[in-house]
Amino acid sequence: MNAYHVRGSLMKGFLGHISYETVLSEENEGIEISFSFGKRLMENVSEEDRNAASLAWKKNYGREASEEEKDMLIGMEKTEINLSVFHNGAYVGCAHRDETERKIRISPLEASEGFIPWSFKGGVLRIVLHSYQILNDDTPYELSVSEKEAQR
């Protein structure tokens, strides 16, 4: 049973948290969360981006960066969005992995890495997206939550 589905788009430079909440049914045996986002690597490098890379290089290495070193530094950057899960205010876990697509399963008996087994019978599920670095305008993301119905 699909309980919740949302899509969005983030602007370049966005830094912050986005919280989504939904009410879960009493008749479930667990949840599956699917999350994905696009535009992981920088698409259009501006002069401002090159200047920022130059400053970062100088701060860390104590010297000016060559053009090749600036390009290398810019190529290492990536968009990063992670997520945390809460149920009725209790912390259930966090997916802080270097992936653009995640499938998270949580039930009373087992849970995906970074989460604890948990019973979600009813109550409020809150998922918080943590955006640390968005490199491109119109960076798409998609979040969905499915409930596994209890066996009768």
Side-chain angles (χ1 to χ4, degrees):
M1 173 171 53
N2 201 10
Y4 194 81
H5 184 89
V6 64
R7 291 182 187 154
S9 179
L10 299 173
M11 65 184 185
K12 180 177 181 173
F14 178 78
L15 173 66
H17 309 284
I18 303 168
S19 181
Y20 292 101
E21 292 185 352
T22 189
V23 176
L24 298 173
S25 71
E26 293 284 337
E27 295 82 34
N28 79 69
E29 287 295 319
I31 63 169
E32 180 176 286
I33 300 167
S34 296
F35 176 71
S36 63
F37 66 91
K39 297 190 177 185
R40 179 181 196 87
L41 301 176
M42 193 177 294
E43 294 177 344
N44 300 307
V45 180
S46 68
E47 192 59 36
E48 183 180 337
D49 296 324
R50 296 191 70 70
N51 290 338
S54 184
L55 287 172
W57 189 276
K58 187 169 186 171
K59 182 177 180 182
N60 285 284
Y61 292 102
R63 63 175 178 78
E64 296 295 327
S66 68
E67 291 302 310
E68 184 177 281
E69 289 166 333
K70 287 182 206 175
D71 290 340
M72 180 188 69
L73 192 57
I74 289 169
M76 292 170 55
E77 292 196 69
K78 62 186 185 289
T79 290
E80 187 171 349
I81 306 172
N82 298 306
L83 64 89
S84 296
V85 175
F86 301 84
H87 181 241
N88 293 332
Y91 176 73
V92 181
C94 182
H96 192 279
R97 295 189 275 287
D98 189 19
E99 302 168 332
T100 58
E101 294 185 20
R102 297 180 187 101
K103 287 257 194 233
I104 300 160
R105 292 177 181 86
I106 307 170
S107 72
L109 300 177
E110 61 187 1
S112 297
E113 183 180 357
F115 298 86
I116 59 174
W118 194 264
S119 177
F120 288 99
K121 297 206 180 289
V124 176
L125 175 71
R126 181 166 57 113
I127 299 173
V128 180
L129 304 181
H130 308 282
S131 166
Y132 297 104
Q133 178 166 268
I134 304 298
L135 297 176
N136 302 289
D137 280 327
D138 303 315
T139 296
Y141 68 90
E142 188 167 351
L143 172 69
S144 63
V145 178
S146 299
E147 294 181 67
K148 182 180 174 191
E149 291 186 31
Q151 302 296 322
R152 296 179 191 243

